[in-house]
Amino acid sequence: MRKYIGEIGLTIVAIIWGSGFVASAIALEHYTPYQILAIRFLIGVLLLSLVFFKKFKMIKKSTIMKGSIIGIFLYVAFALQTVGLQYTTPSKNAFLTAVNVVIVPFIAFFIYKRKMDKFELFGAILAVTGVGVISLKFTSEVNFGDLLTLLCAVGFAFHIFYTAQFVKDEDPILLTVIQMATAAILGFIVVVFKGETSFSTNVEGVSNVLYLGVFSTTIAFLLQTVAQKYTTETNAAIILSTEALWGMVFSIILLSEVITLRMGIGAILVLCAIIISETKLHFFKKKTLEEALE
């Protein structure tokens, strides 16, 4: 039963994150990308601090330093993603962002010289093919929003990579609170620097930014942390990769986005790339072993 609790929890996380692409697109009609980021991260750090304030007694200098580093990557990645969303569709934004999991092994290879296996390489080739099918026009011209989203995927890949490194020696909750605080501080610095201190009070805008802050940033993180205790990394990777699929579903239902055949094919290629790269197709090997034992 615990296994199913984990899988159900991660499915809810993927659905929340997928819906976040649509919420961001609607919020952009009322706020600038930098205002959205400042608000959502402020909400995130305030709520997480209220829930885990007792843990602050255990905070170390190294936690602050490492949390600040991944907080910078987090802010830059979200900034590129949110600005990119102004020039592309929520579903394309979702699938191109998802490429980050395929980029992580390359970062490990170039920084730590860790060898890449055939599944990671094949996944990378498949992902690049999918991105090309989704983004490239017949003139080989890349949409500006798609380019920013691809750069955001690189930012998220660095964020994932360094989070995995830092969490080995630090408290994951405190790391998250510090990175949220860093992202919120950066967010308000940019807002003030750009002179965007006048915030809209439009109900639609406020409700969507609150959704991003409360659900996509705070609740989704907490649910992911708890749910991953009850399932394997492989299952978690597969389930969370459906975030892009949910992004497309919500974009079609709520924004009446029209999905072309080419986008559908590209999306399937990206999803397959993520699953192959992350799981190494272990579920097929396991099934074959079970059949052999029978």
Side-chain angles (χ1 to χ4, degrees):
M1 185 63 194
R2 282 189 170 188
K3 175 192 170 188
Y4 294 113
I5 290 171
E7 291 177 351
I8 291 166
L10 289 172
T11 301
I12 294 169
V13 172
I15 292 170
I16 291 172
W17 281 346
S19 64
F21 289 97
V22 174
S24 292
I26 296 171
L28 281 167
E29 295 175 11
H30 307 281
Y31 301 99
T32 70
Y34 308 105
Q35 288 177 326
I36 292 170
L37 294 177
I39 297 168
R40 76 178 289 178
F41 286 127
L42 178 64
I43 293 170
V45 73
L46 289 176
L47 291 178
L48 288 172
S49 297
L50 283 171
V51 176
F52 299 110
F53 69 94
K54 289 182 180 177
K55 278 184 169 284
F56 289 165
K57 296 174 185 176
M58 301 182 290
I59 202 159
K60 299 180 293 185
K61 191 176 180 180
S62 61
T63 312
I64 296 171
M65 186 181 73
K66 291 173 182 177
S68 298
I69 291 169
I70 56 176
I72 291 168
F73 280 121
L74 185 70
Y75 179 79
V76 170
F78 265 109
L80 288 165
Q81 182 191 63
T82 312
V83 174
L85 192 52
Q86 291 183 303
Y87 306 98
T88 190
T89 62
S91 56
K92 286 173 78 175
N93 194 255
F95 276 103
L96 295 174
T97 299
V99 175
N100 68 71
V101 295
V102 183
I103 299 171
V104 173
F106 284 91
I107 295 171
F109 173 75
F110 285 113
I111 295 177
Y112 287 95
K113 306 299 179 189
R114 186 182 72 79
K115 290 182 179 179
M116 292 177 63
D117 59 39
K118 59 186 177 182
F119 296 105
E120 289 168 342
L121 282 169
F122 182 69
I125 293 166
L126 202 60
V128 169
T129 306
V131 167
V133 172
I134 291 172
S135 304
L136 292 176
K137 299 176 182 176
F138 291 112
T139 57
S140 297
E141 178 189 342
V142 180
N143 177 297
F144 181 60
D146 295 344
L147 180 61
L148 289 177
T149 308
L150 278 174
L151 289 173
C152 113
V154 175
F156 278 122
F158 273 100
H159 177 264
I160 291 166
F161 177 78
Y162 280 109
T163 299
Q165 297 296 313
F166 295 158
V167 81
K168 293 172 186 175
D169 305 310
E170 306 292 342
D171 184 290
I173 303 293
L174 287 173
L175 264 182
T176 303
V177 175
I178 297 298
Q179 70 170 315
M180 289 276 180
T182 303
I185 291 165
L186 284 173
F188 279 100
I189 288 172
V190 173
V191 164
V192 172
F193 181 76
K194 291 181 70 67
E196 298 174 352
T197 51
S198 177
F199 288 84
S200 169
T201 54
N202 178 276
V203 175
E204 186 182 58
V206 170
S207 59
N208 278 280
V209 171
L210 284 174
Y211 180 85
L212 290 170
V214 175
F215 289 91
S216 296
T217 308
T218 311
I219 292 175
F221 158 74
L222 290 173
L223 194 53
Q224 182 195 7
T225 306
V226 174
Q228 280 202 239
K229 291 180 181 178
Y230 302 105
T231 188
T232 64
E233 288 183 7
T234 298
N235 283 346
I238 295 171
I239 295 167
L240 292 176
S241 71
T242 62
E243 168 197 352
L245 184 64
W246 288 109
M248 178 185 280
V249 169
F250 281 108
S251 189
I252 293 168
I253 295 171
L254 300 176
L255 300 180
S256 304
E257 183 181 337
V258 178
I259 306 300
T260 64
L261 177 62
R262 192 177 70 178
M263 261 203 71
I265 294 169
I268 291 168
L269 289 174
V270 169
L271 271 179
C272 289
I274 293 165
I275 292 168
I276 291 168
S277 180
E278 286 290 294
T279 68
K280 325 291 184 196
L281 301 181
H282 284 315
F283 44 89
F284 281 129
K285 293 177 187 175
K286 187 178 178 182
K287 193 174 180 183
T288 306
L289 183 64
E290 286 172 354
E291 287 172 353
L293 289 172
E294 286 174 4

